[in-house]
Amino acid sequence: MNTLTLHIEYLLLKHDCVIVPGLGALLNVRQPARYDEERKLWLPMTREVRFNAALTHDDGLLASSYARKEQVSYAEGREMLGDAVHELLATLRQESLVTLGRIGTLSTHEGTLVFSPRHDSKRLINILGYHEAPVSKPDSETSLQEELADEIGCAPVNKIAEESSIASEGRKFDTERNYYIAVNKTFARVAACLAIILITSLAFVLPPNTQTNVDKASVVPVEQMLQPRNPKASAPANKADIEINEQRAEQVEEPEGRYHAIIATFATPAEAEAFASAHSSASSELRVVNGRTKSRVSAFSTDSREEATRRISETSFKQEYGDAWIWDAE
């Protein structure tokens, strides 16, 4: 029941109506500041919590607050709210009085729910530090504007409006406080039309962008993947190279070492095989290592991590594959 009271107090800070399903609704009743003609006093704004027993349907506000606070689903939050309301009603039937934290108390009188707020409007005004102001009301709106203008040191609103109307008609313009630049309307329209024509002409004259960007997950630049490094890669010069490429396309042998020097990563084995075929040379024969989700191109493999680190740190290897990294196949 204490948890239910805390939820109601929190929601009343942001909402004017919080409905407790099966019990009633707690309402924030606000009254703006007003002038009392009889007492000649300015009365501050007031707020008071009231109870309406006729609103008992579930609007979901309290249930959502439970679900959000306890980090559960809405259905579970609604069930927690139902248990709390059932406990509150049981206590009310047994003791005839229930305290709702800092909001007030609920009691039963001849079968009717009676709500008593903890703070009435007058007490709440004193707590907030508001007081009644014995200030006489001005006789007219014009006099009020003049009094406010004297306090802040500016001209009344009606005088400002009058000066603005005079300036708009062209009879008077204060050049000491404002900048004025005369622009011919015809000239402005012609300039706008010329700008539109120029932009439209550039759209037709400039060639469209026909370049197709290819996304590849690789440490090797895209341009190097699209174009072979040497003519031998794109077109084998002799019959031996053709046979080697055909054997590699039919079956790719997995390296036996645990640690691999990876130079490129692809989404499919076909892309990895194409890259390996295009970039293999006599000094380094590239191979494909197929993983669970990616296919990687390996320059060499070894069972020793120290050896793999030493080899990729060599100057000749760095010049050829500067972005290579070590991958543990296990």
Side-chain angles (χ1 to χ4, degrees), residues 149 152 154-167 177:
I152 64 177
C154 66
V157 178
N158 55 358
K159 292 184 179 180
I160 295 176
E162 182 180 356
E163 292 180 359
S164 300
S165 62
I166 293 175
R177 295 186 303 174

Side-chain angles (χ1 to χ4, degrees), residues 174-188:
D174 190 358
T175 57
E176 295 181 358
R177 295 186 303 174
N178 304 284
Y179 290 101
Y180 179 76
I181 301 175
V183 179
N184 187 275
K185 292 183 177 180
T186 304
F187 174 79

